[in-house]
Amino acid sequence: SADIERHQYDVVVIGAGGAGLRAAVEARLAGKKTAIISKSLFGKAHTVMAEGGAAAAMGNVNSNDNWMVHFRDTMRGGKFLNNFRMAELHAHEAPDRIWELETYGALFDRTKDGKISQRNFGGHEYPRLAHVGDRTGLELIRTLQQKIVSLQQEDFAATGDFESGIRVFAETTIVELLLDGDRVAGAFGYRREDGGLVLFQAPAIVLATGGVGKSYKVTSNSWEYTGDGHALALRAGATLINMEFLQFHPTGMVWPPSVKGILVTESVRGDGGILKNSEGKRFMFDYVPDVFRKQYAETEEEADRWYTDPDNNRRPPELLPRDEVARAINSEIKAGRGTPSGGIYLDIASRRSPEFILKRLPSMHHQFKELADVDITKQPMEIGPTCHYVMGGVEVDPDSGAAAGTVQGLFAAGEVSGGMHGSNRLGGNSLSDLLVFGKRAGEHAASYVDSLGASRPKVSETDVEVARDTALAPLERTDGENPYTVWHDLQQVMQDLVGIIRRKAELEDSLKQLADLRGRVAKVSANGGRKFNPGWHLALDLRNMLVVSECTAKAALEREESRGGHTREDFPEMSPKWRQVNLVCSLSPSGEVSLLHQPVPTMRSELLGLFELSELKKYMTDEELAGYTETQV
Ligand code: FAD
């Protein structure tokens, strides 16, 4: 293993999106020697693509907003399956994390009186998303990178070395975590450009690798999102929860085919855009479920008045949580009322002036003009659901982000972690999640390192050899299948059998097909050498996509109800019994996925009392509500 480049750190953060960068800043502020590793170029993560904004109950645009209202909205959005403690911490701390970002140099759009402006979004009762036009994620990443550079300058002043406290390893993919007993001891990976192998020895690792969308054919996710962090955690002895819950965003582009799945921001609807079928009908009024009926307008007139007078009117049904809107669109298309390209119309052209659209949605205007030759100030867009976000993820301690299961020293934050969003995430709650839990994970990873004293875990050379051989195996096999063929088949199985609407027989079929794919994934071979070889990289990503897909399909078959991002045609209702259950995935040493039922943590009574009893009754059993008392605020 002489050809392996070696590094020693206190904290290694895998992932350079919002969660990873915020965690790294915190670990470095705690005095830890920190590495940030990213699969793609530094600065290119999903966080950059986030358009709408970051949800934080600052109450700048409507002073009725506060953390309790945000907490309620988040729990409602997740259909009460959320880890309540995470939702509570998130609602409490998001405003501080946004203000803090301005001290790092971010500049959010302003209200007339100079406060941070906030926009409306699906499922949020009040305007709550701090934003920078429709390029909020870019500002978030730009600022965090700037903060890192400023920390590096401080380190240079102190040590003469810019990278003495915090160093970025871009285009480096981690393929395995290494353990010493139950403790994390390191991370092993390769450099994309030259195929060089790298070992990071570190007692604490923060996973911040984002999502899993590339297991689906139609997705808003980009190439890096192959569930690496989820799979690394599983293989290290951590557990995943609620992997059946995937968010299909209602509005992805459907035409031209080469861009199918690319996201159309929810801000289009937040700023007045409406959905119409091929008959010109604004159909969302037909799809308001009972649990939400009190909060949504019943007529177009009321819905339209809401934009200018939200205190005296109810919200338009286009702004229902994403799972509801995606299912409604799916039903309209299925009923034959779709557009020529198999989508639905999203129309803002007939509702707002070109000046307004260009000011509020410049990226969307550019995206449709460039990719589809559609001018959204003049024509409606054609859109349809696209696989967007995974609510499930690494099971963590809510306060520290420490991974559950048998492993020590492993932390997770951001999209790769589970629990915060329950069965469905509200738009805008991700960017705030990254900041709140990224900071917490960085802080707790640092204090874990302190707690170890001199007894740091060690990497075993045998494990390094195994990781090296596993990584190079696809290059050494000559007669295996092409990884792209296998990937195509995996995506087809997930898209067709584990998609928006699920059925028992199809899920069973998916598990059979995934079992067949397992044999094929283990035998793929990649032509060519180690220098910039995407076929080789895909061969390594495939085993991650496969195990994560197995967790999703297994949990989807097990959960016999419909809730948030999991819809069973054969069990169309939400079940109060199932609301009490988290499905926990773990991996046996031989690589078998197993599922366990675990109780969803019970909400503290003063948090429960923030909701009306009549609302809670729609979700919970009488037994759970026996001790209910309304909280006085
Ligand atoms: P990411 O930002 O996804 O970053 C993951 C990082 O991990 C990357 O640096 C990647 O290279 C790295 N990585 C992955 N695997 C490995 C590996 N094996 N080795 C090394 N590095 C690895 N949310 C909102 O709240 N508001 C929005 O408006 C919004 N809009 C969105 C628009 C789009 C098009 C998309 C795709 C998502 C949007 N989301 C939005 C969701 C949100 O952007 C993501 O959930 C969030 O950015 C995830 O952040 P993260 O820090 O967890 O990971």
Side-chain angles (χ1 to χ4, degrees), residues 15-16 18-19 39 46-47 50-52 174 225 228 263 389 415 428 430-431:
K39 194 169 173 177
H46 268 170
T47 304
E51 292 149 354
I174 296 301
Y225 296 91
D228 295 2
L263 196 73
Y389 184 90
E415 188 170 344
S430 175
L431 290 188

Side-chain angles (χ1 to χ4, degrees), residues 357-371:
I357 297 170
L358 285 170
K359 170 146 194 298
R360 302 280 289 200
L361 303 161
S363 303
M364 278 304 109
H365 182 260
H366 180 80
Q367 177 174 317
F368 272 88
K369 197 80 204 110
E370 288 295 310
L371 299 177

Side-chain angles (χ1 to χ4, degrees), residues 350-497:
S350 74
R351 314 238 325 143
R352 297 285 182 263
S353 70
E355 295 73 36
F356 178 93
I357 297 170
L358 285 170
K359 170 146 194 298
R360 302 280 289 200
L361 303 161
S363 303
M364 278 304 109
H365 182 260
H366 180 80
Q367 177 174 317
F368 272 88
K369 197 80 204 110
E370 288 295 310
L371 299 177
D373 198 21
V374 165
D375 181 350
I376 69 167
T377 66
K378 298 200 177 77
Q379 298 156 271
M381 296 160 252
E382 279 186 68
I383 55 85
T386 179
C387 179
H388 184 57
Y389 184 90
V390 58
M391 270 71 69
V394 179
E395 185 184 11
V396 290
D397 170 65
D399 287 74
S400 67
T406 53
V407 61
Q408 306 280 308
L410 186 64
F411 298 79
E415 188 170 344
V416 70
S417 69
M420 159 66 208
H421 304 286
S423 67
N424 173 51
R425 173 181 69 91
L426 294 184
N429 267 2
S430 175
L431 290 188
S432 41
D433 164 0
L434 309 181
L435 296 172
V436 169
F437 294 104
K439 174 182 191 292
R440 283 180 163 269
E443 184 180 314
H444 287 271
S447 57
Y448 169 80
V449 174
D450 288 336
S451 76
L452 292 174
S455 75
R456 291 200 171 191
K458 289 192 181 56
V459 166
S460 106
E461 284 309 309
T462 322
D463 290 349
V464 176
E465 292 294 329
V466 172
R468 176 186 189 280
D469 292 349
T470 311
L472 297 179
L475 290 169
E476 272 147 28
R477 258 179 244 122
T478 47
D479 52 351
E481 232 180 314
N482 181 329
Y484 288 93
T485 315
V486 180
W487 184 32
H488 174 268
D489 292 354
L490 173 68
Q491 288 184 320
Q492 199 76 53
V493 170
M494 294 308 284
Q495 187 78 31
D496 293 349
L497 306 177

Side-chain angles (χ1 to χ4, degrees), residues 10 49 72 81 132 202 250 320 334 343 464 537 565 569 618 621:
D10 297 320
M49 295 156 81
R72 278 205 301 256
L81 197 89
V132 184
L320 275 159
K334 236 173 133 179
V464 176
H537 307 158
E569 194 179 64
K618 295 171 188 164
T621 61

Side-chain angles (χ1 to χ4, degrees), residues 14-20 37-41 44-55 121 129 141 172-175 208-211 220-222 224-226 228-229 232 263 265 322 388-389 413-416 425-432 434 544:
I14 310 176
I37 306 174
S38 76
K39 194 169 173 177
S40 46
L41 288 168
K44 184 204 168 290
H46 268 170
T47 304
V48 182
M49 295 156 81
E51 292 149 354
F121 235 54
L129 269 64
I141 289 286
T172 302
T173 304
I174 296 301
V175 291
T209 51
S220 66
N221 287 194
S222 54
E224 308 94 295
Y225 296 91
T226 51
D228 295 2
L232 290 169
L263 196 73
T265 176
R322 290 177 177 169
H388 184 57
Y389 184 90
E415 188 170 344
V416 70
R425 173 181 69 91
L426 294 184
N429 267 2
S430 175
L431 290 188
S432 41
L434 309 181
N544 298 336

